[in-house]
Amino acid sequence: MTEKEKSLAEDITCKTIYEALYLTQQNIVQPKQTGEAEVITKSGAKYGYKFTPLNEVQKAVQKAMKGTGLSYVQLATKNEKGDIGIQTIIYHSSGDNIDCGTYYMPKDPSLRMSLSQAEGSIITYCKRYTLSTVFGISSEEEKPDVDQENNVNDQESYLLIKDRLTELARKTDKQYEELRGFILGKINKQKNSNFQDFEPANFSDAIGVIKTLELKQQAKNEKQPEPQNKEFDWGN
């Protein structure tokens, strides 16, 4: 072992990979968020946010790793769907390693970029996101709740449809999947579509069909005593 190698070995104070990872995270100095981006949501709303560029994240990690015996690699890959991903692996001078998994991100066809530009953008984002996550770096400022509110509203609408359909099935002795298939078939026929499940694009139509079926069943129950074997008016 040369004098340089001996000096390097003495500088490494962490004997295990987990001890080294802990020390690295403690040593992290949060880099500044100097990058800016603008996002357009599905509803057309816009918002901007700041982020830390990849090279600044890398500098912060490498500086915090000094003397711990840690290093890392980030490998680009693709899954069977063609989505690009980044696999992050942390290595330690003891020979141990931690595979932090692969983070995939699909290409957005709405972006006006060449294939190489789109893939390069995804690779950069995935590297920054995974490296920041592993080492505890806050690389993005908190975004507005625009997308979150849309997602919450979509989730609430889906659950509302599911609950009302479950209740309708209970009252009519029909199976949930039978009612679901009927409603989706009705919507697909009206809209000349091919929906396989309830989703934001058909929520209002689904609720409308369910409401019609509920009213028909209510009217039927009010006109005559509820029979033992209930028959349901599908409203065809």
Side-chain angles (χ1 to χ4, degrees):
M1 183 181 290
T2 66
E3 290 299 320
K4 186 176 181 179
E5 289 173 333
K6 287 180 181 179
S7 176
L8 182 60
E10 289 172 358
D11 286 341
I12 298 174
T13 58
C14 301
K15 303 305 179 185
T16 69
I17 191 170
Y18 298 104
E19 183 183 1
L21 182 57
Y22 171 79
L23 184 59
T24 299
Q25 291 176 336
Q26 296 301 307
N27 289 341
I28 286 287
V29 177
Q30 294 293 333
K32 293 182 179 180
Q33 297 168 343
T34 57
E36 295 185 1
E38 183 180 74
V39 176
I40 302 176
T41 67
K42 292 179 181 179
S43 63
K46 296 181 181 179
Y47 67 86
Y49 68 94
K50 292 183 178 181
F51 65 93
T52 305
L54 174 60
N55 66 317
E56 294 299 325
V57 173
Q58 291 171 331
K59 286 179 184 178
V61 171
Q62 288 164 0
K63 186 176 180 179
M65 279 182 168
K66 189 175 181 180
T68 65
L70 285 186
S71 62
Y72 69 89
V73 294
Q74 291 190 290
L75 308 173
T77 184
K78 283 186 180 180
N79 61 17
E80 62 278 2
K81 297 179 181 178
D83 299 334
I84 299 170
I86 290 293
Q87 180 186 18
T88 301
I89 307 173
I90 302 173
Y91 293 97
H92 187 248
S93 55
S94 64
D96 289 335
N97 70 80
I98 299 175
D99 186 341
C100 301
T102 304
Y103 177 73
Y104 289 100
M105 188 175 180
K107 293 187 288 289
D108 187 347
S110 67
L111 295 177
R112 296 180 179 179
M113 294 182 178
S114 66
L115 179 61
S116 59
Q117 286 176 323
E119 291 186 347
S121 178
I122 291 174
I123 288 172
T124 298
Y125 179 86
C126 290
K127 281 186 174 182
R128 178 171 64 84
Y129 182 85
T130 54
L131 204 57
S132 299
T133 301
V134 170
F135 292 102
I137 294 176
S138 301
S139 63
E140 291 183 9
E141 67 180 359
E142 188 173 345
K143 300 182 183 70
D145 290 336
V146 179
D147 280 342
Q148 185 177 351
E149 288 176 1
N150 288 341
N151 290 338
V152 169
N153 290 336
D154 289 346
Q155 185 178 16
E156 288 179 348
S157 297
Y158 184 84
L159 293 175
L160 172 64
I161 291 172
K162 186 175 180 181
D163 289 344
R164 288 177 68 170
L165 200 54
T166 299
E167 181 65 14
L168 189 60
R170 185 188 67 80
K171 290 180 178 179
T172 60
D173 280 349
K174 295 290 182 181
Q175 295 294 321
Y176 175 91
E177 288 299 324
E178 187 179 3
L179 286 171
R180 174 179 168 277
F182 169 77
I183 293 170
L184 288 172
K186 194 94 168 174
I187 294 171
N188 287 334
K189 185 176 180 181
Q190 291 173 348
K191 301 176 75 72
N192 193 28
S193 54
N194 189 33
F195 292 117
Q196 302 298 314
D197 198 1
F198 301 120
E199 54 187 77
N202 63 32
F203 281 167
S204 60
D205 297 295
I207 292 174
V209 176
I210 291 173
K211 187 173 182 180
T212 299
L213 296 178
E214 289 172 338
L215 290 174
K216 285 190 175 185
Q217 186 63 25
Q218 182 180 351
K220 184 176 181 180
N221 291 340
E222 289 175 352
K223 287 180 181 179
Q224 60 185 25
E226 190 171 336
Q228 188 68 26
N229 295 317
K230 295 171 281 185
E231 293 185 2
F232 184 61
D233 181 4
W234 291 96
N236 287 319

